[in-house]
Amino acid sequence: MSRAPKTSPARIGLALAGGGPLGAIYEIGALCALSEAITGLDFNQLDGYVGVSAGSFIAASLANGISPRQLCAAFIENDARSDDLVKPSMFMRPATAELAQRAASLPGLMLQAGYRWAFKGDSLLAALERLGRALPTGVFSTAPLEARMRRSLSARGRSNDFRQLQRRLVLVATDLDSGAAAPFGLPGWDHVPISQAVAASAALPGLFPPVPINGRWYVDGALKKTLHASVLLELGLDLVFCLNPLVPFDASHPVRHRVLGGGDAVIPHLVDGGLPLVLSQTFRSLIHSRLELGMKGYRNSHPGTDFLLFEPDARDPAMFLANTFGYSQRRRLAEHAYQRTRADLRSRRGEISRQLARHGLSLNAALLDDPRRSLLGRQPRAGGRAARTLQRLDEVLDDLSQALAQRGAAPDEPVRRRTAGTLAADQPHQRAQGGRANQPR
């Protein structure tokens, strides 16, 4: 049953998941596409924001009036005029203090291990386990990220204090010792500076050491949930935009793809890629399964709230194969995320238009269908007429499937997949970059 449009101004929220620096790049590209294509939507004037991990600094920036385009200039284009904003290099500074502290403890631990093996009857393995305490808890430091966020949020018109913001902002971390979620920004948690909350939320174990705040140690908020959108639902939101950069890759249709940075990649089976691809797929599958359960729970507990989820296509290898810290690719990846989000809007045009209309928003059809639109000022290369026709047909079939599902009919999935497979086979080197066959028409 369709819902009537709201008569009062809609209350809108934004939930951003993590995904490392390239996850942030995806979210920035997607946010730029959404802000341009949806008339009436201002990502700096929402009623609530929640950020997890890399999504935390984006959410904090948006809540402080920094636009998606400004984030793009700083994080993607390295614009010198955006020196007060977070740059990718902030995630790559060595954790020298952590490394030095752990190294200094090694001689004492070796003496303890030798003593317990020689005089206390410990096995050699048990004695050596003590040496594990000398291993660093992270190789990169969150201190540069915290310092840059503190500097950025000290500018005129911004605030590093949750309590001084005009809109709700929640940045979620995980208490390392208890395993409980730490929703910085909610009452009782809002005394912590926003910059510290960003550092804590982004501290992925193994890459970054836990962040100390008021005698407790905090790590990445994604350890508990993927989105944590529930912390905003008490605000009575009508519409929540959700962005998730991490999806498991669907390699069930092995085709050759031209990947970001050049070169071809054939992925008939992920096991052929060795341990890195297997671990990546495992991690993404765990993250995404929690997201699916969470989204189902949100819709069941808040049937009056609309949720719009945007994430990469599971059949798209660009986000899956990109080097997690390959910053030389960030311009191409951001452009790819921008163009694929535009394609997603077109593929779900009917469904999304109906949801937006209930909240006083609409899609800008002329802009969305403009094939010349680009995130970074470079006109996307157009494919041939056959490629454009196949891509348009693919999007129309997606939209039709959504409409049939809304009416209670089963979507024509075989037709949908057959068309996608034909497109991949006809354009084997074009699909991964959002160019040619994947360009907007």
Side-chain angles (χ1 to χ4, degrees):
M1 180 180 296
S2 61
R3 282 177 257 163
K6 302 285 184 181
T7 56
S8 58
R11 296 179 61 79
I12 302 175
L14 173 68
L16 299 175
L22 288 187
I25 291 172
Y26 167 82
E27 291 182 340
I28 290 173
L31 286 169
C32 287
L34 294 173
S35 63
E36 291 179 357
I38 300 178
T39 301
L41 177 64
D42 185 346
F43 280 116
N44 296 126
Q45 299 294 328
L46 303 184
D47 295 279
Y49 304 82
V50 59
V52 180
S53 191
S56 62
F57 91 84
I58 299 177
S61 299
L62 295 172
N64 268 281
I66 301 171
S67 71
R69 278 289 179 175
Q70 288 176 303
L71 287 170
C72 180
F75 202 80
I76 310 301
E77 301 181 89
N78 201 30
D79 191 332
R81 294 169 296 181
S82 304
D83 280 343
D84 66 327
L85 300 182
V86 172
K87 303 295 179 68
S89 60
M90 299 293 99
F91 292 90
M92 292 290 289
R93 305 290 174 84
T96 53
E98 169 73 6
L99 296 172
Q101 178 183 355
R102 298 289 173 172
S105 70
L106 183 58
L109 291 172
M110 292 181 66
L111 288 174
Q112 292 178 26
Y115 172 78
R116 296 197 63 84
W117 174 67
F119 300 105
K120 294 295 183 179
D122 284 3
S123 67
L124 181 60
L125 180 60
L128 291 177
E129 283 180 351
R130 287 182 170 269
L131 301 183
R133 301 179 185 181
L135 294 175
T137 56
V139 294
F140 302 116
S141 174
T142 57
L145 172 63
E146 193 278 331
R148 181 57 64 90
M149 285 299 301
R150 184 173 3 104
R151 171 184 168 186
S152 173
L153 301 183
S154 298
R156 183 187 299 271
R158 304 173 190 168
S159 176
N160 198 28
D161 190 330
F162 287 102
R163 297 163 295 189
Q164 295 181 6
L165 295 178
Q166 298 180 359
R167 46 197 59 88
R168 174 67 61 83
L169 169 67
V170 183
L171 307 177
V172 184
T174 303
D175 187 312
L176 182 62
D177 291 317
S178 69
F184 294 111
L186 290 183
W189 298 89
D190 52 4
H191 61 285
V192 174
I194 294 174
S195 57
Q196 286 190 15
V198 168
S201 182
L204 180 64
L207 288 181
F208 303 98
V211 174
I213 299 178
N214 298 333
R216 306 290 294 181
W217 297 88
Y218 297 94
V219 294
D220 196 312
L223 269 64
K224 293 292 292 184
K225 294 181 181 179
T226 303
L227 273 177
H228 287 278
S230 57
V231 300
L232 294 180
L233 296 181
E234 66 179 38
L235 298 177
L237 299 178
D238 302 303
L239 174 64
V240 180
F241 288 89
C242 305
L243 271 66
N244 171 53
L246 297 182
V247 297
F249 179 60
D250 180 3
S252 59
H253 301 282
V255 293
R256 182 179 296 272
H257 301 278
R258 184 170 296 278
V259 300
L260 293 173
D264 294 335
V266 179
I267 319 176
H269 303 288
L270 293 183
V271 70
D272 296 337
L275 182 61
L277 289 191
V278 171
L279 289 180
S280 177
Q281 182 78 334
T282 300
F283 177 71
R284 288 164 179 264
S285 298
L286 290 172
I287 289 289
H288 202 259
S289 64
R290 294 190 313 177
L291 172 67
E292 291 174 335
L293 289 174
M295 294 298 295
K296 182 178 180 180
Y298 299 150
R299 293 186 172 104
N300 289 337
S301 63
H302 292 76
T305 302
D306 282 322
F307 296 88
L308 282 175
L309 174 64
F310 295 90
E311 54 187 8
D313 188 335
R315 297 164 299 172
D316 181 356
M319 285 292 295
F320 184 73
L321 294 178
N323 184 348
T324 304
F325 290 99
Y327 294 120
S328 62
Q329 305 181 64
R330 65 180 184 265
R331 288 176 61 88
R332 286 188 293 269
L333 185 66
E335 183 70 47
H336 180 79
Y338 173 84
Q339 297 295 351
R340 291 307 304 150
T341 302
R342 286 165 50 82
D344 188 15
L345 287 169
R346 293 192 299 270
S347 294
R348 296 192 286 160
R349 189 192 305 257
E351 171 206 359
I352 291 176
S353 293
R354 287 188 293 272
Q355 288 185 294
L356 294 177
R358 290 198 288 267
H359 310 292
L361 306 175
S362 62
L363 288 177
N364 186 327
L367 186 152
L368 191 58
D369 294 327
D370 184 356
R372 297 168 297 179
R373 298 295 301 184
S374 173
L375 175 65
L376 301 176
R378 296 180 180 178
Q379 181 174 333
R381 291 181 298 172
R385 179 174 298 179
R388 291 197 300 270
T389 302
L390 282 171
Q391 179 63 21
R392 173 65 83 183
L393 177 60
D394 208 36
E395 293 167 356
V396 170
L397 286 175
D398 267 339
D399 196 20
L400 178 60
S401 295
Q402 294 291 336
L404 290 174
Q406 289 290 328
R407 293 176 178 271
D412 193 358
E413 184 64 15
V415 174
R416 168 69 178 85
R417 289 193 177 277
R418 186 163 60 249
T419 304
T422 303
L423 175 60
D426 290 346
Q427 301 294 331
H429 300 304
Q430 300 168 5
R431 190 168 184 176
Q433 297 189 38
R436 297 183 182 177
N438 282 334
Q439 288 304 321
R441 307 295 172 212

